[in-house]
Amino acid sequence: KQEVTQIPAALSVPEGENLVLNCSFTDSAIYNLQWFRQDPGKGLTSLLLIQSSQREQTSGRLNASLDKSSGRSTLYIAASQPGDSATYLCAVESNNAGNMLTFGGGTRLMVKP
Amino acid sequence: DAGVIQSPRHEVTEMGQEVTLRCKPISGHNSLFWYRQTMMRGLELLIYFNNNVPIDDSGMPEDRFSAKMPNASFSTLKIQPSEPRDSAVYFCASSWGNIQYFGAGTRLSVL
């Protein structure tokens, strides 16, 4: 059974700092990995999707990497801003799982002005 | 499109009552997912529909939970009878392809 772990569970940084969020998964037979953002009281918004054949994806100040063989992914946020404060979740779609995702517990990020 | 629409946004009920949560997916999406989110267990997939047909309901906790998708534009998740441990935020998501689009969720409190 696929298990997804995110470290740290919470992170507080000053504005402007570059930061890295970590995600690990136990079964490397994945179809893709996604990073989501969740604001308090809201649903999830997909930020980046990395196919299993890819190494990284970039969107603006966000860069996500994938090392499938070691079961790890990182989300890099450059020049963090208070508006980046949210919970970030990674999710994997395992092979033969249809479109079903297994989520990590999330990292709650606070960027202080 | 207005996105995935869930109702109600908040539900407070007493133990033993029936609860029905509703979801309208994005038009044209062919997959629909129901999730439950709690502090202790995080985000868990309950059931997944494709083209209105339930594909995997292994995440449904017990027989008290049931879900239907009578057509491509509507789905319900029913809990009968409800229990305090069912208190959580329930999300519906829809997709066409790999990206799932989430509704704002229904916060359920069972007293």
Side-chain angles (χ1 to χ4, degrees):
Chain A
K1 179 186 174 184
Q2 180 74 269
E3 293 183 3
V4 181
T5 304
Q6 291 186 244
I7 295 173
L11 182 63
S12 181
V13 300
E15 182 178 4
E17 192 164 297
N18 301 327
L19 58 99
V20 175
L21 308 181
N22 297 293
C23 173
S24 61
F25 45 95
T26 55
D27 185 352
S28 62
I30 66 169
Y31 185 64
N32 63 52
L33 181 145
Q34 296 184 57
W35 283 92
F36 289 85
R37 170 181 172 141
Q38 184 176 25
D39 292 287
K42 302 286 181 63
L44 282 69
T45 301
S46 180
L47 297 172
L48 291 164
L49 181 150
I50 311 176
Q51 300 289 359
S52 62
S53 58
Q54 297 175 319
R55 285 282 199 171
E56 64 178 346
Q57 281 287 340
T58 298
S59 176
R61 294 182 294 107
L62 305 180
N63 176 275
S65 68
L66 174 64
D67 184 342
K68 197 173 72 165
S69 61
S70 67
R72 296 177 188 274
S73 175
T74 61
L75 179 66
Y76 175 82
I77 304 177
S80 58
Q81 303 171 359
D84 296 329
S85 298
T87 297
Y88 292 81
L89 298 99
C90 77
V92 300
E93 180 180 339
S94 300
N95 290 343
N96 303 317
N99 288 338
M100 295 187 292
L101 300 177
T102 303
F103 282 85
T107 294
R108 190 170 65 255
L109 173 66
M110 172 74 72
V111 180
K112 298 180 178 179
Chain B
D1 200 312
V4 177
I5 299 173
Q6 292 187 245
S7 64
R9 288 296 314 277
H10 303 275
E11 177 80 36
V12 180
T13 190
E14 293 186 346
M15 181 174 63
Q17 296 297 307
E18 177 180 295
V19 176
T20 299
L21 311 181
R22 297 173 176 79
C23 175
K24 176 178 168 54
I26 293 173
S27 178
H29 283 190
N30 64 342
S31 296
L32 183 139
F33 308 81
W34 282 102
Y35 293 90
R36 178 173 66 178
Q37 187 175 41
T38 61
M39 288 293 292
M40 290 296 294
R41 300 175 67 90
L43 198 62
E44 302 173 286
L45 177 67
L46 300 177
I47 188 169
Y48 155 48
F49 292 87
N50 187 254
N51 293 323
N52 313 338
V53 176
I55 302 300
D56 191 311
D57 65 355
S58 59
M60 295 285 263
E62 47 199 274
D63 292 344
R64 297 184 297 106
F65 286 68
S66 63
K68 294 182 179 180
M69 191 165 186
N71 56 62
S73 59
F74 184 66
S75 177
T76 59
L77 178 67
K78 185 176 294 186
I79 308 173
Q80 166 64 20
S82 58
E83 297 182 2
R85 60 192 168 120
D86 302 330
S87 297
V89 181
Y90 291 81
F91 287 104
C92 174
S94 69
S95 73
W96 172 265
N98 294 329
I99 305 295
Q100 293 185 22
Y101 295 82
F102 282 72
T106 295
R107 181 173 297 276
L108 173 65
S109 297
V110 183
L111 306 178

